[in-house]
Amino acid sequence: MNDKDRNKEELINELIQLRKRNTELKSSLMEGNPGDLVLPIIDHGRTTNITERKEVKEGLYRSNQKLNEILSSIQDDFYVLDRDWNFVYANRQFTSRIDKEPQDFIGNNIWRMFPKHIGTEYEENIRSVMDKREIRRFDVGGKYTDSYYQMAVFPSEEGITVLGIDITEQKKAEKRIKEQNAQLLQQINLTSMQANLLNLSNEAIFVWDLNGAITYWNAGAEKMYGYSSKEAVGSVSHDLLKTVHPIAIGNIIFMLERYKSWNGEVEHTSKFGKKLYIETSHQVILNELGQQIVLETNRDITQRKKMENDIQNLNCELLKINETLEESNCELEEMNAQLEETNATFEEEISEHKITALELQETLRELSETKNYLNNILESSTKYSIIGKDLNHRILSWNEGAVRNYGYTAEQIIGKDSSTLYSPEDLKSGEVDKMLKLAFEKGVAEGELQRVRKDGSRFIASVVVTRRNDSTGDPIGYLLMSHDISEKKEEEAARKKSEEEIKK
């Protein structure tokens, strides 16, 4: 019980005593014998009845005045019941709840006026006070209003005195607090579950506030960077990982505050000094307290960057090879022209019987060297498969890269139909014919196809098909250059699956 309620009960006790004294004073006046209620006034050694009655009346007046002061100070429901359960007194605060005046209650039985209270906790408690003459306190919900009351019932001379304090707002506040606690507990459980799910991810996931301080660090981050959660939490992420951003950190914070997300590539340094290239995703979310935090998901692309650099270097090598091939084609065209001239000369010399066996051997040697030179160019690439075939799809050339990727030696595959290298699905869907048709019409075509090795295993390849022309520009076949991208495709699928699980 708080001090305010205690003061109210003290007033009620004082009120009960005043009402008791009032009754005694009234009784004394009616009987004409004030008894011990007031001290007698002595005038010349004797007590006068007139003076005593005057004193009693004045005491009664003062008692009534004090009684009215107390009653007017009570702003809660207040009423008095006699032992027959009839209303002796009811204040306006109480009677106005059912749109009645205090005089409408006086002399009326509470159970006839309020039958809904029969058989309730309210009836049980006030009957107990009436019978046992002991104070009781309890909370009840209104039967005629939507309010809640804190009841205090006191035994009194007439019967019982009842004080009802409206605690509806308090009850509502308690209900709101209970609901908020339940929501908070639910949020805590959800946060705990989400943290457990994040710990299952192989990607580095951590949370920081907009000032940069880390508040959560998952198992994937521990594995990637080498810092334990205890070491990382509380540190500024940019300082801990020595982050090299593509743009100023202030610009990134601005975009997070305005657009709630930022994606890009950064450079991090692990606990052990290893440089890592990171593909990062920043997402602004609200924590259980409604505060903005940043969920950072990082994927190590160091190996991919290395592969991209290798591919870039290979592309440079291929450009050089293409340039060499173009130069070789020019040389071959020149050689063909020279051969034609030589043939004409040979025919002329033969006709004139001037050609010699030595000159013929020298020409054949030059042709053999040219052929070897072209074969060396084709065989120079081991990471890329370079395959030549004619318009009927018969394989004409097969480099070392093709041997490594497909498992066939040149002797095993040259002269065979190239359909052996395609999956039945790609052949049936028409993807292969579509790519060859595009290369035939446009000169070049690119795409991704499933390829089949000698042992029957499959891999996904990035394929570039170039049309081969003869010296007159007429198509005579195709040159296929391809490399295995299966690992890249698996990484992309794993990343997509992880992102979908986080979104759930």
Side-chain angles (χ1 to χ4, degrees):
M1 185 187 303
N2 57 38
D3 291 341
K4 183 178 179 181
D5 293 340
R6 189 177 291 108
N7 291 335
K8 288 180 179 179
E9 291 198 5
E10 289 173 356
L11 279 175
I12 298 301
N13 284 323
E14 185 178 354
L15 184 64
I16 291 171
Q17 295 302 318
L18 283 171
R19 287 179 62 82
K20 180 179 179 182
R21 183 166 178 77
N22 248 9
T23 302
E24 291 173 347
L25 289 170
K26 288 178 182 179
S27 176
S28 176
L29 283 174
M30 292 184 68
E31 294 173 0
N33 178 22
D36 297 329
L37 294 177
V38 292
L39 293 174
I41 298 174
I42 307 300
D43 183 15
H44 304 292
R46 56 195 184 91
T47 303
T48 65
N49 287 337
I50 296 173
T51 303
E52 289 175 352
R53 290 177 65 83
K54 183 179 179 181
E55 289 293 333
V56 170
K57 287 181 180 180
E58 289 177 354
L60 183 60
Y61 173 78
R62 287 193 298 272
S63 178
N64 281 331
Q65 190 176 34
K66 182 65 175 177
L67 186 64
N68 289 331
E69 287 177 2
I70 294 174
L71 288 173
S72 63
S73 70
I74 298 174
Q75 300 300 313
D76 301 299
D77 293 1
F78 178 75
Y79 50 95
V80 180
L81 299 171
D82 64 20
R83 295 176 184 268
D84 294 323
W85 303 105
N86 297 320
F87 282 97
V88 176
Y89 174 83
N91 70 349
R92 192 174 301 279
Q93 172 70 18
F94 172 60
T95 62
S96 63
R97 293 187 182 276
I98 57 172
D99 298 325
K100 288 184 179 293
E101 294 296 324
Q103 57 267 25
D104 297 330
F105 280 68
I106 306 304
N108 287 315
N109 186 277
I110 187 173
W111 308 122
R112 284 193 291 272
M113 290 190 73
F114 300 100
K116 291 182 182 179
H117 284 308
I118 297 173
T120 65
E121 181 184 0
Y122 171 81
E123 181 188 15
E124 179 185 346
N125 278 282
I126 69 172
R127 284 189 182 278
S128 177
V129 176
M130 187 76 81
D131 295 339
K132 298 179 180 179
R133 314 307 293 167
E134 60 184 16
I135 298 172
R136 281 218 173 184
R137 300 175 182 86
F138 55 95
D139 294 348
V140 293
K143 294 294 183 181
Y144 295 86
T145 67
D146 294 330
S147 302
Y148 287 89
Y149 301 93
Q150 185 180 74
M151 307 299 296
V153 186
F154 306 84
S156 60
E157 188 70 18
E158 296 97 336
I160 58 173
T161 299
V162 183
L163 176 67
I165 302 171
D166 191 334
I167 57 170
T168 305
E169 292 304 317
Q170 177 185 331
K171 285 289 185 180
K172 288 180 179 179
E174 289 174 357
K175 182 179 179 182
R176 285 195 299 271
I177 291 171
K178 187 176 180 180
E179 291 173 350
Q180 289 170 356
N181 287 339
Q183 290 174 357
L184 182 59
L185 180 61
Q186 184 180 9
Q187 185 65 39
I188 290 171
N189 292 335
L190 179 61
T191 301
S192 176
M193 182 180 69
Q194 290 172 339
N196 291 334
L197 289 175
L198 291 177
N199 270 327
L200 296 176
S201 174
N202 290 325
E203 293 184 336
I205 301 174
F206 55 92
V207 176
W208 47 276
D209 57 38
L210 290 177
N211 293 322
I214 297 169
T215 59
Y216 171 77
W217 187 264
N218 83 331
E222 290 183 344
K223 183 178 179 181
M224 183 180 294
Y225 297 112
Y227 293 103
S228 67
S229 177
K230 186 176 181 181
E231 292 173 309
V233 171
S235 302
V236 176
S237 62
H238 320 313
D239 297 336
L240 181 71
L241 303 176
K242 300 178 178 63
T243 308
V244 178
H245 296 97
I247 58 176
I249 182 63
N251 293 338
I252 294 175
I253 296 297
F254 172 78
M255 285 189 280
L256 287 173
E257 290 176 340
R258 184 166 185 178
Y259 302 111
K260 308 306 179 187
S261 66
W262 178 79
N263 300 315
E265 293 183 4
V266 297
E267 182 182 318
H268 283 162
T269 302
S270 72
K271 180 179 179 179
F272 309 108
K274 182 180 178 181
K275 298 290 183 184
L276 301 172
Y277 290 99
I278 301 297
E279 186 177 69
T280 185
S281 173
H282 293 28
Q283 190 74 32
V284 175
I285 60 176
L286 296 179
N287 64 11
E288 63 273 12
L289 300 178
Q291 300 166 333
Q292 288 190 340
I293 56 175
V294 180
L295 177 68
E296 182 170 333
T297 304
N298 292 340
R299 182 183 179 204
D300 186 355
I301 58 169
T302 307
Q303 188 62 31
R304 191 183 83 186
K305 280 288 186 182
K306 184 177 180 301
M307 291 176 63
E308 288 176 354
N309 289 335
D310 289 343
I311 291 171
Q312 189 175 2
N313 293 334
L314 281 173
N315 286 335
C316 292
E317 290 180 15
L318 285 173
L319 287 174
K320 292 178 182 178
I321 291 172
N322 285 334
E323 291 173 359
T324 304
L325 286 172
E326 289 176 3
E327 292 175 359
S328 299
N329 284 334
C330 291
E331 290 177 6
L332 285 172
E333 289 176 3
E334 291 176 2
M335 286 181 178
N336 285 333
Q338 290 174 1
L339 285 173
E340 289 176 2
E341 292 177 4
T342 302
N343 286 336
T345 302
F346 281 164
E347 289 176 0
E348 187 178 334
E349 288 180 355
I350 289 171
S351 63
E352 296 175 357
H353 304 286
K354 294 180 180 180
I355 190 169
T356 64
L358 185 61
E359 291 173 333
L360 186 58
Q361 282 182 344
E362 183 63 20
T363 300
L364 291 172
R365 183 183 65 79
E366 291 177 355
L367 289 172
S368 177
E369 289 178 353
T370 301
K371 180 180 179 182
N372 289 336
Y373 174 72
L374 292 174
N375 285 335
N376 287 336
I377 292 173
L378 293 173
E379 294 296 330
S380 64
S381 174
T382 59
K383 293 185 179 179
Y384 283 76
S385 302
I386 303 176
I387 304 168
K389 64 178 185 178
D390 60 18
L391 294 175
N392 294 320
H393 311 301
R394 187 169 58 90
I395 297 173
L396 303 177
S397 63
W398 187 263
N399 79 330
E400 184 60 24
V403 174
R404 294 190 181 189
N405 283 326
Y406 292 92
Y408 295 98
T409 64
E411 292 78 12
Q412 292 172 327
I413 200 68
I414 289 178
K416 301 290 181 63
D417 194 294
S418 63
S419 61
T420 307
L421 308 177
Y422 298 102
S423 69
E425 293 85 354
D426 285 346
L427 288 170
K428 186 176 180 181
S429 67
E431 287 297 318
V432 176
D433 291 336
K434 189 188 300 182
M435 184 178 289
L436 292 175
K437 181 180 178 183
L438 183 62
F440 185 87
E441 293 173 352
K442 302 294 184 180
V444 67
E446 297 180 34
E448 294 178 1
L449 295 172
Q450 279 205 358
R451 311 291 275 171
V452 182
R453 297 187 178 93
K454 180 182 177 181
D455 61 4
S457 62
R458 298 185 181 189
F459 64 95
I460 300 174
S462 176
V463 182
V464 179
V465 182
T466 305
R467 186 186 66 209
R468 293 172 52 241
N469 300 330
D470 61 14
S471 59
T472 62
D474 293 326
I476 59 172
Y478 304 94
L479 182 67
L480 283 77
M481 299 182 67
S482 65
H483 68 284
D484 188 351
I485 60 170
S486 300
E487 185 175 351
K488 178 182 177 183
K489 287 291 184 180
E490 291 173 356
E491 289 179 354
E492 291 176 352
R495 178 185 174 189
K496 182 177 180 182
K497 181 179 179 182
S498 177
E499 291 175 347
E500 290 176 350
E501 290 177 350
I502 292 175
K503 289 179 180 179
K504 291 178 182 178

